[in-house]
Amino acid sequence: MSEWKKQYDKDGYYFPIQAISSEQALGYRKRLEAAEKLVADDPAKKKLMQLQPAAVLDFADELARMPSIVNPVTEILGDDVLLWNATFFIKEPQSDSFISWHQDLKYWGMDDSHEVTAWLALSDVTTATGCMKFVPGSHTLDMVEHIDTFEENNLLSRGQEIAVDVNEDEAVHVQLKPGEMSLHHGKLFHGSSPNSTNDRRIGLALRYISTNMQQTADLKPYAKLVAGKDDYGNFRLLDSPSGVLSEDDVAIAYENIEIQEQFLFAGTNLER
Ligand SMILES: O=C(O)CCC(=O)C(=O)O
């Protein structure tokens, strides 16, 4: 077993991994910012790009399938891997946006924890810009209770926050240069602070699962096969999007959001 994988198993995360060069990262950032300009007058579409980038942006799908990103993921999950979801987590300059301490798998409705997030930096990601913070070894704990806060500046769907005290002194700051990525386990305690700088903090979180994972919903959720084969058929397999925000891709992305919201908002009384 490789040294980094041993460390991942022990701590529940590993970083930094050079996924793409800093020049490539800048190129992808420019593509994102060009797409944002296209929808500058359409906040719903802008939000959709953040929530479902791999479904509606060809370049996000391209990143999600890149061997330099997927190969380390297969070392963790095995040969047969799906991209289940992706999200752009963007903190604007001098913004109060933050992410409370949480465990990813808490509200995803999955039957197991064969999941890993590859979080790719497309800008400088430092303590000042609001990098992620991880609690080493916390992935070995069971799922803990979370409290919904729906706090305005919290970037999480329900502002969910771990109901136990997290000792900030134990937290490791996941500082990344553009083009580097981290990998983290779905049960790891993690969060992030606001961005106090004059640059945007841009990260693409890619959620990968083993093909044997299941998410029981009335309608079968979508996923993309990014390595190996799918012998289980637990998800509807999606192809790559065509271009940026094509009509067909947008329709599928909205349908997938509706399916996912069954889990993300389960147990809340919130009308979305
Ligand atoms: O981008 C962040 O600050 C946190 C993202 C996160 O919680 C995740 O990718 O699981």
Side-chain angles (χ1 to χ4, degrees):
M1 189 192 290
S2 58
E3 277 312 307
W4 78 260
K5 172 65 169 45
K6 276 188 208 153
Q7 211 171 320
Y8 175 88
D9 288 343
K10 177 173 150 288
D11 293 333
Y13 63 85
Y14 184 79
F15 72 96
I17 295 172
Q18 191 75 50
I20 53 176
S21 68
S22 57
E23 293 79 20
Q24 283 175 304
L26 182 61
Y28 280 106
R29 176 175 177 162
K30 283 188 176 152
R31 289 171 82 177
L32 169 68
E33 291 179 341
E36 286 175 331
K37 270 207 187 110
L38 281 179
V39 293
D41 298 329
D42 189 341
K45 284 263 171 68
K46 192 169 173 198
K47 190 82 195 154
L48 187 69
M49 271 174 31
Q50 291 177 4
L51 293 179
Q52 294 278 308
V56 297
L57 302 173
D58 52 1
F59 59 89
D61 174 87
E62 192 175 291
L63 283 166
R65 296 175 186 275
M66 236 177 224
S68 55
I69 297 178
V70 174
N71 290 348
V73 168
T74 60
E75 278 202 51
I76 295 169
L77 297 179
D79 293 339
D80 302 328
V81 175
L82 299 170
L83 177 82
W84 168 70
N85 224 336
T87 309
F88 269 115
F89 283 104
I90 300 174
K91 292 179 182 165
E92 299 299 340
Q94 304 290 346
S95 87
D96 292 329
S97 299
F98 73 102
I99 297 225
S100 47
W101 289 103
H102 68 286
Q103 293 170 297
D104 288 334
L105 284 168
K106 180 72 184 174
Y107 294 115
W108 291 358
M110 298 282 180
D111 67 337
D112 213 326
S113 54
H114 306 299
E115 184 271 340
V116 62
T117 294
W119 196 103
L120 175 69
L122 294 186
S123 68
D124 248 328
V125 175
T126 62
T127 298
T129 61
C131 66
M132 283 194 287
K133 298 175 284 183
F134 293 157
V135 179
S138 51
H139 67 302
T140 58
L141 303 173
D142 281 336
M143 219 43 112
V144 301
E145 205 181 311
H146 286 53
I147 299 165
D148 298 333
T149 68
F150 290 106
E151 220 275 337
E152 199 190 326
N153 291 318
N154 195 330
L155 295 179
L156 292 181
S157 47
R158 52 202 284 168
Q160 64 267 34
E161 187 171 322
I162 284 171
V164 295
D165 278 342
V166 173
N167 182 354
E168 286 272 348
D169 294 341
E170 282 179 29
V172 169
H173 289 221
V174 189
Q175 305 205 75
L176 299 169
K177 298 195 189 75
E180 291 181 343
M181 70 172 182
S182 58
L183 296 171
H184 72 262
H185 189 285
K187 293 206 293 189
L188 189 77
F189 290 11
H190 63 292
S192 68
S193 304
N195 177 5
S196 61
T197 75
N198 292 325
D199 191 20
R200 308 177 86 191
R201 193 222 67 166
I202 305 172
L204 176 62
L206 299 162
R207 320 292 191 182
Y208 296 100
I209 57 174
S210 301
T211 49
N212 64 358
M213 288 273 275
Q214 205 159 2
Q215 196 187 24
T216 310
D218 299 340
L219 263 179
K220 215 187 248 195
Y222 289 105
K224 294 170 185 224
L225 188 65
V226 294
K229 57 192 184 333
D230 178 13
D231 290 332
Y232 296 89
N234 291 337
F235 294 83
R236 277 183 284 175
L237 297 185
L238 262 185
D239 287 332
S240 298
S242 50
V244 168
L245 290 164
S246 79
E247 217 175 288
D248 288 352
D249 295 331
V250 165
I252 286 176
Y254 276 127
E255 186 191 350
N256 203 35
I257 286 180
E258 222 163 276
I259 296 170
Q260 298 307 335
E261 285 191 344
Q262 292 173 43
F263 305 101
L264 292 175
F265 296 107
T268 71
N269 295 321
L270 198 74
E271 288 269 333
R272 301 298 296 179

